[in-house]
């Protein structure tokens, strides 16, 4: 009897082992390159090219967690609304003007730059009148512009200065609070070629589509390249340093999904345009479709990011140290 009992126990143990091995071999669960923990990630972007590059990821996130992260997206119209969120930690990741990232870092040390998300998107536009084609042609003219205190101001003033034009003497800048005000002022000036406007994409395309007499006179990005010998950088994506330290896998997963989203805007302009209109980044799908190829949306990380930003910060610093927060940021600013 004892032998029979021992045999049954041994048999049951063997059977249990066999089932456990079979379950391991046939389990449909696959290993993930990211953490099994779902991380809540709050992302803030400005309405414009930075948000346009995120639309596919935004769309995927509506259906639940993506790449192990559960995303919440918030769109704002002005950098002033974004910076306090990322500094306080209310936002984990944010898209902001490139020079502003240096200013925030130099004043708080609370962020790191993950990537360049947008290269040059600035254009001088005119509303009929005598054709303008060079920076020298701006002598004596008034430029309507918004973006005072950020990339548009410092890029424009650096190009003007390096081209021999002194602001307030040779050329005049009338600052507006929004790009739409610049367009309205340009239209109101009629064909007076002494009035021009500096507009970023996609607002330049929007203005041209709404009023055929408006045209691009000068590509400020090419003018910057001529004076600096490096690309004009418009926007970067930053991360709250504490969040990055606590969630490195979540940050890497975001960058991977963000790259897919940026690639999507280039490969499927029609689909991306629909999403841009869906999230009210631009009011009309047709405008988004026309503007997307002109928005210079990229995702540069690592050494490519560092090289471009170091050159960009250096030019701004030589022109106006305050434009980057009073000093050139060190390598610690980069993720």
């Amino acid at each position: 009897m004892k032998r029979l009992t021992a045999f049954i126990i041994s048999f049951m143990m063997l059977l249990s082992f066999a089932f456990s091995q079979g379950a391991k071999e046939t389990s449909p669960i696959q290993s993930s390159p990211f953490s099994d923990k779902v991380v809540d990630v709050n992302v803030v972007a400005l309405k414009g090219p930075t948000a346009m590059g995120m639309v596919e990821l935004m769309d995927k996130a509506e259906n639940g967690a993506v790449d192990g992260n559960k995303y919440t997206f918030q769109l704002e119209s002005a950098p002033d609304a974004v910076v306090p969120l990322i500094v306080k930690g209310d936002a984990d990741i944010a898209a902001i003007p490139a020079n502003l990232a240096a200013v925030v870092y130099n004043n708080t040390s609370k962020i790191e730059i993950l990537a360049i998300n947008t290269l040059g998107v600035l254009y001088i536009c005119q509303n009929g009148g005598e054709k303008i084609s060079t920076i020298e042609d701006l002598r004596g003219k008034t430029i309507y512009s918004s973006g005072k205190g950020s990339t548009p101001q410092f890029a424009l003033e650096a190009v003007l200065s390096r081209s021999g034009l002194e602001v307030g003497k040779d050329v005049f800048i009338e600052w507006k609070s929004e790009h739409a005000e610049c367009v309205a002022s340009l239209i109101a000036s009629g064909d007076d070629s002494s009035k021009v406007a500096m507009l970023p994409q996609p607002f330049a395309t929007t203005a041209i589509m709404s009023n055929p007499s408006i045209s691009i006179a000068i590509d400020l990005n090419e003018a910057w390249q001529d004076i600096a010998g490096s690309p004009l950088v418009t926007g970067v994506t930053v991360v709250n340093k504490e969040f990055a330290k606590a969630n490195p896998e979540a940050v890497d997963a975001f960058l991977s999904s963000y790259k897919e989203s940026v690639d999507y805007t280039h490969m499927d302009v029609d689909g991306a345009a629909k999403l841009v209109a869906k999230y009210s980044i631009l009011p009309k799908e047709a405008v988004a479709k026309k503007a997307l190829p002109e928005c210079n949306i990229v995702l540069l990380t690592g050494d490519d990011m560092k090289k471009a930003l170091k050159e960009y910060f250096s030019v701004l610093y030589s022109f106006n140290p305050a434009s980057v927060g009073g000093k050139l940021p060190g390598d610690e600013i980069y993720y």
Side-chain angles (χ1 to χ4, degrees):
M1 187 69 178
K2 290 181 179 179
R3 289 181 179 177
L4 178 60
T5 301
F7 173 79
I8 291 173
I9 292 173
S10 299
F11 177 78
M12 293 300 292
M13 291 176 65
L14 180 63
L15 190 63
S16 175
F17 178 76
F19 272 116
S20 67
Q21 288 298 103
K24 290 179 181 178
E25 291 173 3
T26 60
S27 173
I29 299 175
Q30 303 295 321
S31 61
S32 169
F34 305 115
S35 171
D36 291 334
K37 181 181 75 170
V38 175
V39 179
D40 290 324
V41 183
N42 298 313
V43 183
V44 184
L46 293 170
K47 287 188 175 183
T50 56
M52 291 162 76
M54 294 182 179
V55 289
E56 192 220 19
L57 178 54
M58 292 168 64
D59 193 53
K60 285 180 178 178
E62 282 192 1
N63 299 316
V66 179
D67 61 39
N69 293 338
K70 184 177 180 182
Y71 293 102
T72 300
F73 287 90
Q74 179 177 337
L75 300 180
E76 295 288 348
S77 298
D80 290 349
V82 178
V83 171
L85 297 175
I86 191 71
V87 170
K88 293 178 182 178
D90 294 331
D92 306 309
I93 293 171
I96 61 177
N99 81 290
L100 191 56
V103 174
V104 173
Y105 176 81
N106 279 331
N107 282 280
T108 70
S109 298
K110 289 189 175 181
I111 63 167
E112 293 175 322
I113 300 177
L114 293 173
I116 294 172
N117 56 46
T118 318
L119 294 176
V121 293
L122 297 172
Y123 298 88
I124 302 295
C125 297
Q126 66 177 117
N127 184 19
E130 183 182 350
K131 178 62 179 173
I132 297 168
S133 58
T134 68
I135 298 297
E136 176 60 31
D137 291 340
L138 297 175
R139 187 179 293 275
K141 294 180 169 45
T142 296
I143 304 172
Y144 300 120
S145 180
S146 62
K148 188 174 184 179
S150 61
T151 297
Q153 176 186 357
F154 299 121
L156 174 60
E157 292 183 351
V159 168
L160 293 173
S161 177
R162 293 286 185 92
S163 302
L165 298 180
E166 183 180 341
V167 176
K169 179 181 177 183
D170 303 311
V171 64
F172 307 90
I173 303 175
E174 190 171 316
W175 294 104
K176 305 292 184 180
S177 60
E178 296 182 357
H179 303 305
E181 287 186 58
C182 299
V183 176
S185 296
L186 183 62
I187 292 173
S189 69
D191 62 357
D192 180 0
S193 58
S194 69
K195 312 289 186 181
V196 298
M198 183 175 73
L199 298 172
Q201 292 290 1
F203 298 97
T205 294
T206 303
I208 292 168
M209 291 183 71
S210 65
N211 190 325
S213 65
I214 296 177
S215 62
I216 290 176
I218 300 172
D219 184 336
L220 205 69
N221 316 299
E222 292 181 359
W224 175 278
Q225 184 78 39
D226 290 342
I227 68 161
S230 60
L232 174 60
V233 180
T234 298
V236 296
T237 302
V238 302
V239 63
N240 178 278
K241 189 182 291 187
E242 291 183 4
F243 178 84
K245 184 177 180 180
N247 302 281
E249 290 182 332
V251 174
D252 290 344
F254 165 77
L255 285 173
S256 179
S257 294
Y258 191 12
K259 183 180 186 306
E260 291 179 4
S261 185
V262 168
D263 289 344
Y264 174 80
T265 65
H266 295 297
M267 294 185 296
D268 188 353
V269 175
D270 289 347
K274 290 179 181 179
L275 294 177
V276 168
K278 172 184 175 180
Y279 293 109
S280 301
I281 299 170
L282 287 177
K284 296 181 180 179
E285 183 181 326
V287 175
K289 183 177 178 179
K290 183 79 172 176
L292 270 165
E294 308 299 327
C295 285
N296 232 340
I297 297 169
V298 298
L299 193 70
L300 299 180
T301 58
D303 290 340
D304 291 339
M305 168 187 70
K306 291 179 182 179
K307 183 177 185 298
L309 281 174
K310 284 182 176 182
E311 292 173 346
Y312 171 72
F313 291 149
S314 180
V315 173
L316 287 188
Y317 179 80
S318 66
F319 169 70
N320 183 349
S323 66
V324 292
K327 62 180 180 180
L328 289 172
D331 285 348
E332 298 80 10
I333 194 175
Y334 304 109
Y335 175 73

